[in-house]
Amino acid sequence: MQNLKWIPIFILLAMKSYAASNSAVLPKGIWHPSIRYGIVSEVSNQFDNTGSLQSIGRLNQAFDGQSLEKQVASFSNLTKLLKETYPNSRYAEQLYVGALEFEAQAAVQYTAPVLAYGASKRLTLAAGVPIVSLKGSVSARQTGVNNTRAIRNQISSDSIHEISPELNDGLTSLENANLVSEYERILVERGYIVPRSVNRTVVGDVQLAGVYQYWENARWTFSEQTILNLPTGPEDNPDDFLDIPIFHQTYLKFDFKQDYRLTSVWSVGTIVGYTWKLPDTALKRVPKDEDDVLPEADRKERVSRNLGDIISVGGTTNYWIFKPINLAAGYDYSYKTADTYSGSRGYNYSLLSRNSESDWHRVFGTLTYSTVDLYFTHQAAIPFIVSYTYSDIIQGTNIDRQLNHELSLKMFF
């Protein structure tokens, strides 16, 4: 059930070119406030470790004899008793109570105000912080046919002895089992918040950025962007499946961008990035084994963690339809190494790292309207940029699909 954690968006406050020019930085002394607003969908769908896109149904759990014995303590004695009483039968293996199926809806919105300043003709500095809202709901229902009564009848017809009172009580309890109630009872018993609905807004991690343009001529522009992410946002709550677990991290992100102007209206570019995650600590529930999907409250521990670093490569192209309007499109590929955890209690901390190595392919397109050049020729009263960006993770492993629509407004003074 830990997979029920939403991972709504990997937010980066990356600064973009401020105008349809070859420059990657602001002119010296210019202030550049901007605000980005986005909506992210498809976050409850996930590319699994084989690259297949899975819906929330990936969390569904069928309860047969084997899973009952491993996961539901109140029924595990019954399956063991069946095996001991009738060792030459397959009654325990044939048991089927039904399935627990989940449905979920989630809507993620974010607003990211950013303030940038041209510190010199080659260096721009910026700071920003995302404000993220998550609205969602989760429901569980029991499906399938409970065959406990059929198993009881089969035992009665096969056996020359009456069913023992202990076994009879266990079968009666299992026949009347409500999987949803049992699932919620176990959550409460183990100290979890039962996931039903969420309507939450949080202020995320503060990001500080710098863009340094180290080379420029008539055709080429080379620049490097560094982002420092500070752990000012909320920590992940190991008791809450519907919190926003992407903040409270410290990392440095380095992007090296190369742009080449093919013609006066068309340019292409490449970008290479590396995100270095700094070690920190986090409160986690450490599973007992691979089948422990709901670790108990006494397994909570503040562990040391090192979240995996990320390598990204990509390319873009920009075309100016005419002076104020620009179309851009691009693709990037990212690979994230596995997380590592350690603690002081001697647990198997590698279980926290399962399926944390990931990669993804993302496509994006941007439509931009800019009055910057028009302002300099006295054809516009104020300089501003409005843009719409569409992006989508189209393939990957161990990554949530994130379909993103974003509007941004950029001003200059």
Side-chain angles (χ1 to χ4, degrees):
M1 288 300 299
Q2 289 292 344
N3 287 332
L4 201 58
K5 287 280 190 182
W6 305 114
I7 306 182
I9 181 171
F10 187 71
I11 297 176
L12 297 175
L13 300 183
M15 294 182 296
K16 302 178 181 178
S17 284
Y18 70 90
S21 72
N22 241 22
S23 180
V25 293
L26 293 167
K28 182 179 179 180
I30 294 296
W31 289 93
H32 173 33
S34 65
I35 189 164
R36 298 164 58 180
Y37 170 78
I39 299 174
V40 187
S41 59
E42 301 290 333
V43 293
S44 61
N45 298 327
Q46 184 184 73
F47 293 101
D48 64 16
N49 56 14
T50 69
S52 298
L53 183 62
Q54 304 288 339
S55 69
I56 194 68
R58 66 186 182 275
L59 302 177
N60 294 347
Q61 175 66 58
F63 287 91
D64 54 17
Q66 184 178 10
S67 62
L68 285 169
E69 184 174 1
K70 286 183 177 181
Q71 299 182 24
V72 186
S74 57
F75 295 138
S76 62
N77 290 335
L78 172 62
T79 56
K80 291 176 183 177
L81 184 60
L82 280 172
K83 290 179 180 180
E84 293 171 357
T85 307
Y86 307 100
N88 297 320
S89 73
R90 290 181 53 82
Y91 298 140
E93 291 84 351
Q94 292 170 352
L95 270 177
Y96 183 76
V97 181
L100 195 61
E101 295 189 356
F102 295 90
E103 295 182 354
Q105 296 179 340
V108 181
Q109 299 180 13
Y110 64 91
T111 303
V114 181
L115 180 62
Y117 176 71
S120 72
K121 68 176 184 179
R122 291 189 177 275
L123 177 65
T124 292
L125 302 177
V129 59
I131 302 167
V132 179
S133 297
L134 172 63
K135 294 182 180 180
S137 63
V138 176
S139 61
R141 61 192 178 100
Q142 182 173 341
T143 62
V145 177
N146 186 328
N147 71 353
T148 306
R149 177 172 295 183
I151 295 295
R152 182 204 296 272
N153 294 338
Q154 187 64 43
I155 293 173
S156 298
S157 63
D158 291 345
S159 177
I160 60 174
H161 304 290
E162 290 187 4
I163 298 177
S164 68
E166 184 180 6
L167 187 56
N168 181 70
D169 291 343
L171 289 171
T172 300
S173 176
L174 191 60
E175 185 176 341
N176 298 318
N178 184 315
L179 293 180
V180 176
S181 298
E182 184 68 18
Y183 150 73
E184 293 185 349
R185 183 191 66 78
I186 292 174
L187 287 178
V188 173
E189 184 180 87
R190 298 187 181 184
Y192 292 96
I193 300 171
V194 177
R196 293 194 179 98
S197 64
V198 60
N199 186 354
R200 177 177 297 151
T201 299
V202 301
V203 178
D205 293 345
V206 169
Q207 291 189 335
L208 306 177
V211 179
Y212 181 70
Q213 184 173 293
Y214 56 89
W215 176 260
E216 181 185 20
N217 63 19
R219 293 286 185 181
W220 287 98
T221 302
F222 293 168
S223 62
E224 190 277 331
Q225 176 181 263
T226 300
I227 295 177
L228 171 61
N229 192 90
L230 301 174
T232 59
E235 286 195 71
D236 178 23
N237 182 353
D239 302 333
D240 189 355
F241 296 111
L242 299 181
D243 66 346
I244 304 178
I246 61 172
F247 297 121
H248 208 78
Q249 299 180 21
T250 305
Y251 61 80
L252 281 166
K253 187 175 189 298
F254 307 96
D255 285 324
F256 294 87
K257 187 176 181 182
Q258 302 80 38
D259 287 312
Y260 180 73
R261 175 151 291 185
L262 295 169
T263 69
S264 61
V265 295
W266 184 22
S267 70
V268 294
T270 60
I271 187 169
V272 178
Y274 185 83
T275 302
W276 174 37
K277 303 288 185 68
L278 277 67
D280 61 4
T281 65
L283 187 62
K284 294 288 185 182
R285 290 180 181 241
V286 185
K288 294 179 181 178
D289 51 44
E290 291 187 356
D291 296 318
D292 187 10
V293 295
L294 290 172
E296 298 198 31
D298 63 3
R299 302 286 295 187
K300 279 194 288 190
E301 180 185 353
R302 180 159 289 277
V303 298
S304 298
R305 70 174 182 180
N306 193 343
L307 299 176
D309 295 347
I310 302 172
I311 300 172
S312 300
V313 294
T316 61
T317 181
N318 284 270
Y319 184 78
W320 286 262
I321 300 175
F322 51 91
K323 186 168 286 188
I325 297 181
N326 170 261
L327 282 174
Y331 158 86
D332 54 49
Y333 169 78
S334 299
Y335 167 75
K336 174 186 169 296
T337 60
D339 305 335
T340 58
Y341 294 87
S342 62
S344 59
R345 296 186 182 177
Y347 296 154
N348 182 3
Y349 298 100
S350 66
L351 294 171
L352 293 171
S353 302
R354 287 178 299 171
N355 298 324
S356 61
E357 182 181 12
S358 61
D359 71 294
W360 59 95
H361 303 260
R362 184 177 69 105
V363 295
F364 56 91
T366 301
L367 174 64
T368 299
Y369 177 81
S370 170
T371 67
V372 173
D373 287 342
L374 297 177
Y375 174 79
F376 286 118
T377 58
H378 307 289
Q379 299 178 66
I382 56 175
F384 68 88
I385 298 174
V386 177
S387 62
Y388 161 76
T389 298
Y390 167 94
S391 68
D392 188 12
I393 293 179
I394 57 173
Q395 187 58 57
T397 57
N398 295 324
I399 187 72
D400 299 318
R401 187 186 170 196
Q402 299 167 22
L403 179 60
N404 188 13
H405 300 271
E406 179 183 288
L407 291 172
S408 69
L409 172 64
K410 306 174 184 180
M411 304 290 292
F412 306 87
F413 62 88

